[in-house]
């Protein structure tokens, strides 16, 4: 893990933008990360499975609604909600935003 990745994680964890991570922010992230990310990952792989194997490229291309070659947050959120079948009750948008910001390694607003 690089210093830049640590900084990005810090920014993602600091949900209120205060410049510090309070205990509630840390607990929230720890609670959603292991289970929700694993569930989302498994469901995405299952959705990408075809008789020829796993075709994540095709699945992601369908999620890329503006054909930019990457997913912005709205596309990512829709992708998780529809493809991984994760409702807002199961994984709130704020948790998806934290995950998205963490995965958006260059802070470009897309991944």
């Amino acid at each position: 893990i690089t210093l830049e990745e640590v900084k990005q994680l810090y920014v993602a964890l600091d949900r209120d933008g205060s410049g510090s991570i309070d205990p509630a922010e840390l607990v929230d992230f720890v609670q959603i990360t292991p289970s929700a990310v694993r569930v989302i990952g498994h469901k995405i792989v299952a959705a990408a499975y075809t008789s020829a194997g796993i075709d994540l490229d095709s699945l992601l291309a369908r999620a890329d609604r503006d054909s930019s070659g990457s997913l912005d947050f709205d596309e990512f959120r829709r992708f998780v909600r529809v493809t991984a079948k994760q409702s807002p009750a199961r994984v709130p948008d704020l948790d998806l935003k934290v995950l998205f910001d963490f995965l958006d390694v260059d802070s470009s607003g897309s991944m």
Side-chain angles (χ1 to χ4, degrees), residues 19-103:
S20 63
I21 300 169
D22 64 51
E25 290 169 324
L26 186 57
V27 167
D28 286 348
F29 187 76
V30 169
Q31 285 178 341
I32 69 112
T33 300
S35 60
V37 171
R38 192 171 28 257
V39 167
I40 290 167
H42 288 300
K43 292 198 177 232
I44 289 170
V45 169
Y49 183 79
T50 66
S51 60
I54 296 173
D55 188 3
L56 287 174
D57 291 335
S58 294
L59 190 66
L60 291 172
R62 286 194 311 245
D64 181 16
R65 298 172 75 76
D66 63 2
S67 300
S68 65
S70 60
L71 301 183
D72 62 24
F73 177 68
D74 288 332
E75 291 168 330
F76 175 73
R77 181 180 55 213
R78 178 172 293 166
F79 177 70
V80 170
R81 296 279 181 244
V82 174
T83 305
K85 298 180 174 98
Q86 296 299 299
S87 70
R90 171 99 169 103
V91 182
D93 281 353
L94 190 54
D95 292 342
L96 284 180
K97 181 66 173 142
V98 169
L99 176 59
F100 179 84
D101 288 345
F102 181 69
L103 296 171

